[in-house]
Amino acid sequence: MEPYVKSYREHGITTIEFFHPQSNSLPLHMLDALSQEIHYAGTHDSKVVVLQSAGNAAFCAGASFNELLAIDNEKDGLRFFSGFANVINAMRKCPKLIVGRIHGKCVGGGVGLAAAVDYAIAYTESEIKLSEFSLGIGPFVIGPAVERKIGTSAFSQLAIDSTLWRNADWAKKKGLFAEVHPSLQNMDDAVYRLSNTLSHSSQEATSELKKMFWRGTENWDTLLKEKAAISARLAMSGFTKEAIENFRQKLANKRTQRFR
Amino acid sequence: MEPYVKSYREHGITTIEFFHPQSNSLPLHMLDALSQEIHYAGTHDSKVVVLQSAGNAAFCAGASFNELLAIDNEKDGLRFFSGFANVINAMRKCPKLIVGRIHGKCVGGGVGLAAAVDYAIAYTESEIKLSEFSLGIGPFVIGPAVERKIGTSAFSQLAIDSTLWRNADWAKKKGLFAEVHPSLQNMDDAVYRLSNTLSHSSQEATSELKKMFWRGTENWDTLLKEKAAISARLAMSGFTKEAIENFRQKLANKRTQRFR
Amino acid sequence: MEPYVKSYREHGITTIEFFHPQSNSLPLHMLDALSQEIHYAGTHDSKVVVLQSAGNAAFCAGASFNELLAIDNEKDGLRFFSGFANVINAMRKCPKLIVGRIHGKCVGGGVGLAAAVDYAIAYTESEIKLSEFSLGIGPFVIGPAVERKIGTSAFSQLAIDSTLWRNADWAKKKGLFAEVHPSLQNMDDAVYRLSNTLSHSSQEATSELKKMFWRGTENWDTLLKEKAAISARLAMSGFTKEAIENFRQKLANKRTQRFR
């Protein structure tokens, strides 16, 4: 199946869905499409936004490694890492509440998406990991969004111990997920219940709530760009190129074995 | 029994107690009385303050709906919503530590009071809810106090999913309650033990502790007034009038049935 | 055994270890030595720092009571309390990640050390307490570091209820400890695993991570000095002198009995 970002509205609920065959990882053009869809939903007739991804595997594996590996200068790197910055800023500035449907694993930027929604409803198998540091970069662009939700301590733990998966229960205790459900059906029921309720809420109150929740983040347009520049610079290092190449090889070997 | 706010001092411990027959909900004149009593305790001979309410049912159901419904202009609305702003600011600026005795349910402004005390000791049946959003307003005035105690994530959850009760254990995990006790007697013992200890503490150290805990809130005199203005504006909407009227009807029907 | 602060480097891992026969409490000259060792590790060839103390009892009982009691003027008090301020600021500014090995109880300044490391790995018996307030002072110097890690609510609880030990599980839930292990061996394995991994990490990324984690603390050189001045002033009060003298007597009686 081809990668896509699509969006549809029903009863005031705008559902934005993305898909990529490589564990829902996101190349720049999909990130840009996501930013646009979120912006559109916030400025048109939607009453509430649901963010979800397709498939039964990962919710989102972060930024696309293939694309990152192909980048050979900081300027393109900055454009690449600004992709997630723009999505997070679009979510932050959207005057509607955004409900996240987190049906599976979140890595790197995927954790950033789960953190930037206003209310994340997750399936119990949704483990999380910030693997950036093991690749010689760091969760810089998504850092402010993740830290805002789970605090400095839990964010440091995730960022430092960058090879360890934390389970959905940990993510709930730390505040990343608002709800964790034992089945996909339960999760979907919860997403429906809440988004339906929110679609009948006062839109003036919604917009004021949203402002309150994001108070203190007014400088993020600038801040996240600065963070993207840090990632871009580090990504040009030999350390990162080698680490990502190794990672890809390992993944490729795994896939080969599977088909033997 | 008539509504009241009363205050008495024994061995350096000032106990401030309020009561209202409608689930300890608070009309403006009682909020003003609370502010005054807290201010008085902070500037006279008290060594520690205990905040409690009467009865065995709700700790505090928030602002008085009857009063809110009667308001027909933003100016009166601002005065009304400033009531809780003033109480929270009085608690914040009181140089004494304030221990909260939370014996039952907290709704809306009641959650604000539990958040603004320096140390909340609760009974295990004390569930909490921020119902404002379902009424077309929002927990704006109390928001900063609640968010300061339980963080952005837990506060967002409460404010968004505004019809759900969270139990005392949840409130403890998130940091709203410092202690949760299995019986009213245990709770009262804990309140006595702590307030008695604090009444023998250095008052100079107390005042410095209090300043440290509230560092960064110096602009709340202004901030909470701005929030009150937001609530006042939203409360004039048809959405809110209708929602509160429906709520009152439901309550009235419930009471009628009880007496059949 | 004599008190010491020592430091050694192996495979890029600098281990800084301190010891004092009185429950690893720290007099000023040892705090100064700690600051220097941390600064040295951050500016020389280390890739990661492990902070630990010797023995099987307390990790660190805080500042030295003997030394504090001997101080009879605010100026010397300020120098004394600045000791911990300097250590925390050295840890904060060190461009390397600091892993804490917390093998036992932490009191007062000891909690401050556990909070100021970037990743604390603890043994399950490591209880914590902020006893300052019961002595007529307060956890002012370490306050910002502790609050940053565990939040305003948990920090207030510790500081107010100053005679209560909280267990390692509480400390983990609140974010002070990243990991808690059931045996000293498990804890040591975890410290080795993580410090070894971090010693192979990109040092440029490390330095950027560190900056991100400590964003917003740029004024702590000044802030912690101001806090030290508050402690110095309060420590000169009769309340504190008497409280510490009582505490020492109790400790001395305990020791005498033990040898009967």
Side-chain angles (χ1 to χ4, degrees), chain B residues 97 118-119 148-150 172-179 193-194 197-198 200-202 204-206 208-209 211-213 215, chain C residues 133 136-140 143-144 147 152-153 155-157 159-161 163-164 166 174 219-220 223 227 230 233-234 237 239:
Chain B
L97 292 170
D118 296 295
Y119 196 102
R148 169 184 172 270
K149 263 286 174 66
I150 71 177
K172 187 182 172 205
K173 275 183 187 150
K174 299 304 184 185
L176 184 73
F177 298 155
E179 302 178 17
R193 179 188 67 84
L194 184 63
T197 301
L198 296 180
H200 293 93
S201 300
S202 154
E204 267 186 283
T206 297
E208 293 292 345
L209 268 193
K211 273 190 233 164
M212 176 169 58
F213 294 150
R215 187 166 66 100
Chain C
F133 186 43
I137 45 182
F140 300 114
E147 188 174 10
T152 302
S153 173
F155 172 53
S156 305
Q157 291 173 31
I160 291 174
D161 201 359
T163 57
L164 193 75
R166 314 268 171 168
K174 299 305 183 184
N219 68 333
W220 282 23
L223 180 69
K227 300 284 181 190
I230 294 172
R233 179 167 53 76
L234 294 175
S237 69
F239 190 108

Side-chain angles (χ1 to χ4, degrees), chain B residues 167-243:
Chain B
N167 64 23
D169 187 50
W170 188 91
K172 187 182 172 205
K173 275 183 187 150
K174 299 304 184 185
L176 184 73
F177 298 155
E179 302 178 17
V180 170
H181 293 278
S183 75
L184 291 166
Q185 185 59 52
N186 282 14
M187 177 188 66
D188 280 326
D189 291 349
V191 170
Y192 176 75
R193 179 188 67 84
L194 184 63
S195 54
N196 185 46
T197 301
L198 296 180
S199 72
H200 293 93
S201 300
S202 154
Q203 292 302 300
E204 267 186 283
T206 297
S207 147
E208 293 292 345
L209 268 193
K210 186 87 187 209
K211 273 190 233 164
M212 176 169 58
F213 294 150
W214 290 88
R215 187 166 66 100
T217 65
E218 294 76 12
N219 67 333
W220 282 22
D221 278 349
T222 311
L223 180 70
L224 301 196
K225 284 275 152 143
E226 289 168 9
K227 300 286 180 190
I230 295 172
S231 290
R233 180 168 52 76
L234 294 174
M236 289 308 105
S237 69
F239 192 107
T240 296
K241 292 288 180 199
E242 200 179 318

Side-chain angles (χ1 to χ4, degrees), chain B residues 126-173:
Chain B
S126 304
E127 298 183 305
I128 64 167
K129 186 165 74 169
L130 291 181
S131 56
E132 286 90 338
F133 186 43
S134 59
L135 303 173
I137 45 180
F140 300 115
V141 171
I142 60 166
V146 179
E147 187 174 12
R148 169 184 172 270
K149 263 286 174 66
I150 71 177
T152 301
S153 173
F155 172 53
S156 305
Q157 291 173 32
L158 270 180
I160 292 174
D161 200 358
S162 58
T163 57
L164 194 73
W165 289 100
R166 314 269 171 168
N167 64 23
D169 187 50
W170 188 91
K172 187 182 172 205
K173 275 183 187 150

Side-chain angles (χ1 to χ4, degrees), chain A residues 182-194:
Chain A
S183 76
L184 291 166
Q185 186 59 53
N186 282 14
M187 176 188 65
D188 280 327
D189 291 348
V191 170
Y192 175 75
R193 179 190 67 86
L194 183 64

Side-chain angles (χ1 to χ4, degrees), chain C residues 170-246:
Chain C
W170 188 91
K172 189 184 171 204
K173 276 183 188 150
K174 299 305 183 184
L176 184 71
F177 299 155
E179 302 178 15
V180 170
H181 293 278
S183 76
L184 291 166
Q185 186 59 53
N186 282 15
M187 175 188 66
D188 281 326
D189 291 348
V191 170
Y192 176 75
R193 179 189 68 84
L194 183 63
S195 54
N196 185 47
T197 303
L198 296 180
S199 73
H200 293 93
S201 300
S202 155
Q203 293 301 300
E204 267 186 283
T206 297
S207 148
E208 292 292 346
L209 268 193
K210 187 87 187 207
K211 271 190 234 165
M212 176 170 55
F213 294 151
W214 290 88
R215 186 166 67 102
T217 66
E218 295 76 12
N219 68 333
W220 282 23
D221 278 349
T222 311
L223 180 69
L224 301 195
K225 284 275 151 144
E226 288 168 10
K227 300 284 181 190
I230 294 172
S231 290
R233 179 167 53 76
L234 294 175
M236 290 306 106
S237 69
F239 190 108
T240 296
K241 292 288 180 200
E242 200 180 317
I244 295 182
E245 189 52 49
N246 287 343

